[in-house]
Amino acid sequence: MIKSPPIPDLFSPGRHGLLLSGLLLLAVLWASPSLAAATSPLATSHSPYLRHHAGDPVHWLPWEEATLALARQQDKPIFLSIGYSACHWCRVMGEETFQDAAVAQELNSHFIPILVDREERPDLDSFYLQVALRMTGRSGWPQNLFLTPDLLPLFAGNYYPPTPREGLPGLQDILVGLGRAWRENRPQLLAQESEIRTQLLAIGQPTPVVAADASSQDPRERAAEFLLKRSDARQGGFEESPKFPHPVALSLMLREGVRQGNSPLLTAVYTTLDRMAMGGIRDQLGGLFHRYAVDRFWRTPHYEIMLADNVLLARVYLEACQISHESRYGWMARTLLDALLERFLLADGGLATALGADSPNQAGHWEEGAYYRWSPAAVKDLLPAAERARWEAAVGVGNDDGQAGALWLRGEPQQMETLHRQLADLLGRVTVARQQRPPPARDDKVITGWNGLAVSSFALAARVLDEPRYLAVAQGLLAPLMAQFNQTGGLSHFRLGSHWVGEPVLDDYAFLLQALMDMYETDFQPKHLEAGWAVAQAMLARFQQPGSLLMHLTPVATESPIPPQTLVLDQQGIPAGNAVAWSGLARLNVWRLDGKLGEALAAVSHQLAAITAESPHQAGELLRLLDYAPATAREVILVGDREDPMVVRWLHWLRQRMGIGESVAVVAPTAAWSDWPQLANRLQQQGKPTAYICQGRICLEPVTDWDGFKQRFE
């Protein structure tokens, strides 16, 4: 995992913060000696995760004002548990701890238990993840917190067994101790309440902006340098273990490698992409990537598979293909996207959210990785005797110690495509056997923002791989997203079945705006620009506080008991809404040339050095905004029929390279672009397809021939 620079010690005992409250609570704790599923409020939830827990002996309630009012009315602490359907430890705690009669009795009697799906409520997840990180120094899921009725955090942790085990305290003991402390030692628990509340207001806010030093290092260079220093030169990735793919960081390194002509940056990314592709973090039978690996060598994954991770990784492999012209990266992107269509595409449209980590093993017990893990002996039994040596020479299992684990490939990464082709018959045998196993459950929520990310990746694949079928997929995914926007003037956060539900977050609008810009540069339909402008205006109206530049995670008109969050840095490997929003607005304004928007973009760009100073490695997407600065960005406007051979040739050349800060348009010579000044009045020369290449908002003399076109880029 990429390690952040040290978090300012805002919560240390010396600063009278949350950590002190946590330690005081621990001291108090350790010094101290059913509703039916049909009647549970969770039974009618739109979240599969919440519905799954409707039959628990714990009387879970949803996060809503009525529940919070009940806590205040009964003067009971809140037990808040945040998880999601694909989470392994959420399932384990659900089975072991929340099914325990004593734990359920204690929670139901002395607490208000609230269950939250992090994917349904990313605002709560983001906020309380930061609270937990500052209280304990770690975060993850399930995220369990104890709050006062007015939401002051008292204690935070992750997985707890029902009773003490292997050095972990049991939740039953914590509940008994906390209940007693709340009733008998409340002043001690709340000793630093006012200071804690002040610190809570700062969570989810960017670094205070100071005037950036004009002579300071380009923040893109600083971020890339930071990442390169933390790269594992031999095995790829960052640091030792666990290892997350970090696709947004890898994409930044690729862009900076091209922009700076820095080959070590490119090599570091290629090494990571190669090692991941060969490792157990990639499902070698199915083609998708698991969430992360627990070891340095990418062999042992944490088995859940997330839509967002995979569409972002597809983008990085496609970018690597553009830069290196190595066919294996295009092959990897193709197999990944095809696997998404096979396992995530829903019958009624849209891509599902995740595949769980757990499934029943041979004994019928739920086990992490049961669908994906193999013992060497089990695989051996599936293969003809004459083929076993070939398999063992090419495929490893787990830690290569004879124990069960994920499959991974031996050999040179440069040969991965050839190796898969040579092993196709043997991999096919193992795949057929795996199909007899119960598969992991799939969460069929269609999250608006994540499907927007998918549109962008399929559109990029259509361009880079020259695959019309991926364009058709992107168009099919985009259509229902735009249908809901056009019908209501806004977006919902997700769809389950035929119903769009849930209050949107900034990511939903920002990722859709990015998708529309990517679609325009793929099929050049003007409607995408018009839709992009409409989505952008709605986004700014809903999420931008008057007088501010950066946007809130949730609509500004929404009343919430937690402070508003203005997130600018990547969150758990997914780009922040503000980052994608502002880079999308910059791309839109390349053609729109709106003065007010241009001023706002310039102001945000000016603040980037300060905003990203503490965590440059988490700013990969936000820093893309600088690539589209008016002084350096390049516009390529091709005037002619999209199917004209010269236009096709120009486009093919443009798409086989990574153009940093480059925007491409194809316009008909007779089209009117009254609202898009940079595209207006572009005429053909001598009746031929004509290319206008502009930089710094200044266009060179148009060209109509191949050699003249190429010279414009030298």
Side-chain angles (χ1 to χ4, degrees):
M1 180 190 298
I2 300 178
K3 294 183 179 178
S4 302
I7 296 173
D9 200 12
L10 301 176
F11 297 80
S12 66
R15 297 289 294 274
H16 307 291
L18 293 180
L19 180 58
L20 179 56
S21 282
L23 293 174
L24 283 173
L25 176 56
L26 280 175
V28 172
L29 293 179
W30 297 111
S32 302
S34 163
L35 289 175
T39 61
S40 167
L42 273 56
T44 57
S45 170
H46 294 291
S47 161
Y49 178 67
L50 298 190
R51 289 205 309 270
H52 177 75
H53 287 277
D56 285 0
V58 176
H59 296 172
W60 294 112
L61 295 171
W63 178 285
E64 59 187 16
E65 177 52 36
T67 302
L68 303 181
L70 181 66
R72 295 191 296 269
Q73 177 187 348
Q74 296 187 2
D75 193 31
K76 289 181 179 180
I78 292 168
F79 176 74
L80 173 64
S81 185
I82 303 175
Y84 58 106
S85 62
C87 167
H88 166 67
W89 287 107
C90 300
R91 183 197 63 79
V92 173
M93 193 166 180
E95 287 188 358
E96 292 184 351
T97 307
F98 298 142
Q99 295 294 327
D100 183 88
V103 168
Q105 174 64 30
E106 197 67 31
L107 277 171
N108 295 338
S109 299
H110 302 295
F111 298 86
I112 301 296
I114 299 178
L115 192 66
V116 168
D117 180 345
R118 67 174 290 252
E119 294 159 352
E120 184 180 30
R121 291 298 305 268
D123 55 329
L124 297 176
D125 177 61
S126 173
F127 181 77
Y128 283 111
L129 213 62
Q130 290 298 314
V131 169
L133 183 63
R134 286 158 172 76
M135 290 181 76
T136 67
R138 58 179 296 177
S139 61
W141 300 277
Q143 192 63 253
N144 295 303
L145 301 101
F146 292 93
L147 313 173
T148 65
D150 56 353
L151 306 185
L152 184 77
L154 299 172
F155 184 72
N158 301 117
Y159 165 77
Y160 290 111
T163 55
R165 182 195 306 161
E166 299 177 355
L168 286 174
L171 185 60
Q172 169 70 5
D173 292 342
I174 295 175
L175 292 169
V176 171
L178 179 56
R180 183 179 300 116
W182 180 253
R183 293 187 297 273
E184 301 174 7
N185 297 299
R186 192 177 303 187
Q188 188 177 3
L189 291 181
L190 305 180
Q192 286 83 39
E193 177 178 1
S194 62
E195 295 182 41
I196 293 172
R197 292 196 185 282
T198 298
Q199 293 170 44
L200 289 176
L201 292 174
I203 289 180
Q205 300 304 312
T207 304
V209 174
V210 296
D213 182 355
S215 64
S216 63
Q217 183 184 17
D218 187 313
R220 293 171 292 183
E221 296 177 5
R222 186 172 67 244
E225 183 180 289
F226 182 101
L227 291 165
L228 185 60
K229 288 179 179 178
R230 285 152 181 80
S231 296
D232 183 339
R234 292 177 62 85
Q235 299 301 328
F238 304 99
E239 306 294 353
E240 291 288 330
S241 63
K243 281 188 171 176
F244 288 78
H246 292 293
V248 180
L250 295 176
S251 185
L252 168 68
M253 294 174 73
L254 286 176
R255 296 197 309 274
E256 283 303 290
V258 172
R259 193 180 70 86
Q260 299 178 33
N262 186 329
S263 59
L265 281 172
L266 299 178
T267 299
V269 177
Y270 298 155
T271 299
T272 299
L273 296 179
D274 287 342
R275 295 301 178 190
M276 287 196 306
M278 300 286 281
I281 190 173
R282 178 175 183 257
D283 173 14
Q284 297 296 337
L285 301 181
L288 296 174
F289 283 89
H290 300 291
R291 186 161 171 261
Y292 65 90
V294 302
D295 65 306
R296 179 188 177 193
F297 303 98
W298 305 99
R299 292 179 179 174
T300 304
H302 184 61
Y303 287 92
E304 64 195 67
I305 295 177
M306 312 299 291
L307 171 63
D309 294 341
N310 280 274
V311 294
L312 290 170
L313 280 169
R315 184 180 79 173
V316 180
Y317 278 102
L318 290 164
E319 291 171 342
C321 180
Q322 282 182 303
I323 298 166
S324 69
H325 302 292
E326 292 285 348
S327 64
R328 67 183 183 276
Y329 297 132
W331 174 81
M332 272 298 305
R334 186 179 285 107
T335 58
L336 198 166
L337 293 172
D338 288 347
L340 277 174
L341 294 177
E342 180 181 347
R343 301 185 69 186
F344 277 68
L345 186 63
L346 302 174
D348 55 354
L351 293 170
T353 296
L355 296 173
D358 303 352
S359 57
N361 58 22
Q362 286 184 322
H365 304 301
W366 283 73
E367 176 187 334
E368 183 182 17
Y371 186 72
Y372 304 99
R373 289 162 51 87
W374 296 90
S375 69
V379 176
K380 183 178 178 181
D381 290 342
L382 297 173
L383 305 176
E387 301 289 358
R388 292 170 185 169
R390 179 161 68 100
W391 172 273
E392 292 172 358
V395 183
V397 178
N399 292 322
D400 224 12
D401 57 3
Q403 302 301 309
L407 303 179
W408 49 274
L409 300 182
R410 308 182 195 275
E412 293 300 320
Q414 292 79 2
Q415 302 301 317
M416 68 175 76
E417 183 178 359
T418 300
L419 185 58
H420 261 272
R421 188 164 52 248
Q422 292 172 343
L423 291 171
D425 57 331
L426 304 184
L427 291 169
R429 284 178 176 267
V430 181
T431 300
V432 169
R434 188 172 79 170
Q435 289 170 346
Q436 308 309 309
R437 297 175 172 180
R442 186 177 68 184
D443 187 326
D444 285 351
K445 292 195 304 292
V446 177
I447 297 178
T448 297
W450 290 13
N451 273 254
L453 291 176
V455 171
S456 290
S457 291
F458 278 101
L460 180 60
R463 299 196 299 274
V464 175
L465 303 178
D466 194 19
E467 287 269 14
R469 65 189 179 97
Y470 290 142
L471 173 58
V473 171
Q475 291 169 334
L477 294 174
L478 179 63
L481 303 181
M482 285 309 304
Q484 63 154 326
F485 180 82
N486 292 332
Q487 290 167 8
T488 66
L491 297 171
S492 296
H493 181 50
F494 68 94
R495 193 193 84 215
L496 193 66
S498 60
H499 302 290
W500 288 101
V501 295
E503 183 172 68
V505 292
L506 176 59
D507 299 17
D508 297 318
Y509 281 78
F511 297 172
L512 178 57
L513 172 59
Q514 176 182 255
L516 288 163
M517 298 308 302
D518 288 325
M519 283 298 293
Y520 177 71
E521 294 203 15
T522 306
D523 65 11
F524 304 107
Q525 294 187 34
K527 67 178 182 179
H528 299 316
L529 289 182
E530 298 296 344
W533 185 252
V535 169
Q537 296 307 301
M539 176 178 70
L540 291 167
R542 284 166 170 78
F543 296 94
Q544 191 178 53
Q545 187 77 32
S548 300
L549 284 173
L550 298 176
M551 287 170 265
H552 289 181
L553 177 61
T554 51
V556 294
T558 298
E559 295 184 2
S560 173
I562 64 171
Q565 300 170 79
T566 306
L567 306 179
V568 294
L569 302 180
D570 307 330
Q571 306 291 308
Q572 290 85 52
I574 299 176
N578 264 296
V580 177
W582 285 103
S583 61
L585 289 168
R587 294 172 66 189
L588 190 67
N589 213 41
V590 162
W591 310 124
R592 188 82 178 194
L593 299 181
D594 181 84
K596 183 178 179 181
L597 180 55
E599 292 174 2
L601 287 162
V604 174
S605 298
H606 182 69
Q607 297 176 3
L608 286 187
I611 292 173
T612 63
E614 290 191 5
S615 301
H617 61 286
Q618 291 180 278
E621 195 65 31
L622 184 62
L623 291 173
R624 191 187 293 265
L625 175 59
L626 294 179
D627 296 339
Y628 291 95
T632 57
R634 175 188 284 147
E635 298 86 58
V636 181
I637 306 165
L638 309 179
V639 185
D641 190 296
R642 171 68 179 81
E643 303 303 322
D644 185 282
M646 183 58 75
V647 174
V648 170
R649 188 180 183 188
W650 285 337
L651 279 176
H652 180 76
W653 183 84
L654 289 168
R655 290 170 170 182
Q656 297 307 303
R657 47 185 276 289
M658 175 180 276
I660 306 299
E662 186 173 277
S663 300
V664 180
V666 176
V667 299
T670 57
W673 292 90
S674 57
D675 292 329
W676 305 90
Q678 189 69 335
L679 297 174
N681 302 315
R682 299 295 178 183
L683 304 176
Q684 286 188 333
Q685 304 294 305
Q686 302 172 350
K688 298 178 180 179
T690 303
Y692 293 80
I693 292 88
C694 314
Q695 194 155 7
R697 298 292 192 261
I698 298 174
C699 296
L700 302 174
E701 285 294 320
V703 296
T704 60
D705 64 302
W706 175 250
D707 291 336
F709 178 80
K710 289 285 294 296
Q711 288 172 5
R712 291 288 187 261
F713 295 87
E714 294 176 356

